[in-house]
Amino acid sequence: MGSYEVRDAEARDAESVARVHVDAWRETYAGVLAEHYFSADAYERRRRFWTGYLAMDPRPGRAVVAERDGSIVGFANAGQARGADVEKGFPPVRP
């Protein structure tokens, strides 16, 4: 099965992270969400998102990737709570 390496995500990882992201959605939500969530357009939207996010300096959070045999097979992203819930005064679940 091979060993895994977890490392900080880099800008060059955007396309692979986008692939894993959409593939995970497909695996989890097929039959629940409409097919357009898993289309080529979905890959392109996620690629654009991750390209922009991973190029930020500084980033608003921390992103890491898991590699096995030189291929990205997973990712995680975490950071401060932000967005509509915070703007509406809802406290974050955790710091």
Side-chain angles (χ1 to χ4, degrees), residues 7-45:
R7 61 169 175 79
D8 286 329
E10 301 173 2
R12 66 183 171 91
D13 298 323
E15 188 168 338
S16 294
V17 172
R19 178 189 44 79
V20 170
H21 200 164
V22 175
D23 289 351
W25 284 347
R26 177 181 288 113
E27 182 70 24
T28 304
Y29 299 114
V32 177
L33 295 177
E35 184 61 29
H36 75 271
Y37 286 99
F38 323 121
S39 68
D41 287 343
Y43 284 104
E44 179 57 23
R45 285 191 303 275

Side-chain angles (χ1 to χ4, degrees), residues 25-85:
W25 284 347
R26 177 181 288 113
E27 182 70 24
T28 304
Y29 299 114
V32 177
L33 295 177
E35 184 61 29
H36 75 271
Y37 286 99
F38 323 121
S39 68
D41 287 343
Y43 284 104
E44 179 57 23
R45 285 191 303 275
R46 287 290 90 192
R47 186 195 64 74
R48 285 193 312 264
F49 169 82
W50 284 110
T51 296
Y53 183 82
L54 294 176
M56 289 179 168
D57 187 18
R59 284 189 201 141
R62 180 165 184 214
V64 297
V65 295
E67 286 185 315
R68 183 179 66 206
D69 300 327
S71 294
I72 293 175
V73 296
F75 71 94
N77 186 48
Q80 292 284 67
R82 59 188 181 137
D85 286 345

